[in-house]
Each structure stands twice: as C-alpha cells, then as structure tokens.
Amino acid sequence: MRHFIIDTDTASDDAVALVMAMKHPDVQIEAITLVGGNVGIEQGLQNALYTVELCGESIPVYRGLAQPMLRPLQMAQHVHGVDGMGDIGLPLSGRTPAEGHAVPVLIDTINKFAGNITLVTLAPLTNVALALLQDPSLASKVTECIVMGGIGQGYGNITPAAEFNIWVDPEAAKIVFESGIPITMVGWDISRTYATLNQADAAQLSQVSDLGKFCMDIQKTVMEFALERTKLDGFDLPDPIAMAVALDRSVITVSKKLYVDVEIHSELCRGQTVVDHLSATGKTANVEVVLEASRERFMEMLYDAVK
Ligand code: BDR
Ligand code: CA
C-alpha cells in the first residue's frame, strides 16, 4: 500500500483528482490539506469535504494557510465558478474539517511514513513551503512529490509566462523547488496537450456513472472559460493528469531531470518556472520535468476512477 498526502485548493479539477486517488485500490490517502488558491480556504474545505463524502470516504481534511507567504491571495473564481465547483448548486456548506492545521499534519505524516509517502500538490505551494522551512529533513523523507504547477515548455494560463499555482505564491514555489525534495513537475503544458476533453468526451464520461456525471458537471464554468479564453478544443484537467502521474508513472511517455528555478522578482514574469533545457546554467538538475504523456492512458485512468 502506498501512502499519499494531497495538498489542494479544491475546485473543479482538484475534485476529479481527489476522486481518482480515492478510487485507486493501492493508495491510502493519509490526509488532504487545504490551502487558499482557486477559492478561499473555507470554500475549498467545503468542496473537499463534499467530494470525500460523495465517495463514501472519511479521509481527514485539514485547514491550511489562507494566504500566500508574501502576497495577497488572487483566486480563480472566474475559471472555476464562485463556489469553485462550477456553480451548479451543490450543497457546499456545513461540513466540519478535521482538527489540527495542515502544516503540522504535513510534518507529522511525512515523518510517520518516511520512505513510503507520496506528496501530491495541486495548488499554490504555501503549506508545503512552510512545512519544509519548519522541518527541512522532510525533503529526504518524501518518496516523491508530484507537483501540478509551472510550465515545462511553452506558455502559461494565468500570464504568458506563468501557470496559476506557481504564480499565486512564487516565493513558496521557490522554497519548495530549492529544498531538495524529489519533484516531478506536471506543468500546464501537459494538461493542455494530453488532458483536454471536448463536449463529446465529457458527455460520454457523464454516462458512465453518477460519479462520472459529478466529475463533468462541476466543470461547467471551466468549460465556458476554456472555450472563450484558452481556445482549446474543450477544457483541460491539470490536477487529474498530475494525479494520474502520481498513481501510475506509465502515463508519462517522456520526462527529463532538469534544473528549474522560479522567478520571484519580475512583475512581467512572476511565477515563471525557468527550465534549463540545455544545461546553460551548469546547475544541478532538481526536477523531473514531464515533457510528454499518454492521453490514452490518462483517459483510461479517468474511466477506471468513475466506473
Ligand atoms: C491549476 O490552477 C488551478 O486553477 C487548478 O486547480 C490547477 O491546480 C492549473 O493551472
Ligand atoms: Ca488545484
């Protein structure tokens, strides 16, 4: 059995990633930790608690940091909806998170399962950075840290240079990327290229089960945003493809260990993941960067999760 911790700013694509992990037979999720990101922390908690309950699970969901380390929180409700779950009228209130705070929970859980603990980050890296600052030894205890964030090759979704999760809290991302934790980075380019679903794909998945329908219904505002703004043939699922990598690395078809730094000073390039593809800096590679993935395998895993 593999042990997982999932750090999330639960909105529509995070919820699908949670479903994939909860439905995977070989994975035990020890904790779900929330951070401010797509939506405010209280809404994110409710969204995660609802999703856990829907899957019939009782995994503890912990409140973490509401704000980035140094900057005001900028959310993505224009993408995921005011409630983060597509504004389809789900009853997203009244559930109670577990007692305790995400940062000590990260520290204690990683220490407890040292050597067999996968950390999956689907959100700004605020909680993870603080845990690493408090206990730097965590970096060598985590088996792997799958990061949905940044861009391996190409352009961003929040600015031309940056992907949302890294852009929201670039200082936290820099701390995590420099910590020595074994990162596999699944950037936005990977979801845009290999995890995009069009209306027909969504309709088909909705027919598989109630859970399939839930996973697609909550993409309502993302679908509208994607068609209008990202000009994709459908909408992308960044957190689910990162979760697919965490669950089964065979979804990766090409990856490379490269040096990656995070831009924190520039206004224009805030949160850019600067990937040294040609070893121009001479610095030691610190991140396994996913460069290509299998859409077929990803779709298979999505279907397996909801069937
Ligand atoms: C990431 O940002 C959020 O909007 C999504 O949940 C995902 O984690 C994609 O850039
Ligand atoms: Ca997310």
Side-chain angles (χ1 to χ4, degrees), residues 9 13-14 38 122 239:
D9 54 346
D13 68 319
D14 301 70
N38 287 320
L122 309 175
D239 293 340

Side-chain angles (χ1 to χ4, degrees), residues 76-99:
Q77 287 167 306
H78 61 297
V79 183
H80 299 277
V82 176
D83 68 8
M85 301 284 270
D87 294 336
I88 56 170
L90 293 173
L92 301 168
S93 62
R95 293 174 182 82
T96 313
E99 264 181 46

Side-chain angles (χ1 to χ4, degrees), residues 65 70 74 143 145 154 192 196 210 260 265 307:
L65 275 298
L70 299 177
Q74 284 175 270
T143 320
C145 175
R192 177 171 57 77
T196 294
D210 288 349
V260 182
H265 301 296
K307 77 183 182 202

Side-chain angles (χ1 to χ4, degrees), residues 12-13 16 215-223 235 237:
S12 50
D13 68 319
V16 178
C215 288
M216 294 297 99
D217 284 353
I218 57 174
Q219 310 305 325
K220 185 172 174 282
T221 51
V222 171
M223 270 183 213
F235 60 95
L237 290 173

Side-chain angles (χ1 to χ4, degrees), residues 3 10 27 51 80 88 91 105 110 114 121 133 148 174 229 290:
H3 303 278
T10 310
V27 162
T51 309
H80 299 277
I88 56 170
V105 165
I110 293 169
T121 75
L133 286 177
M148 190 290 123
K174 194 170 170 68
R229 292 289 302 280
V290 178

Side-chain angles (χ1 to χ4, degrees), residues 58-77:
S58 54
I59 300 158
V61 176
Y62 297 93
R63 180 184 280 105
L65 275 298
Q67 301 265 81
M69 296 184 77
L70 299 177
R71 304 177 190 245
L73 175 64
Q74 284 175 270
M75 301 183 284
Q77 287 167 306

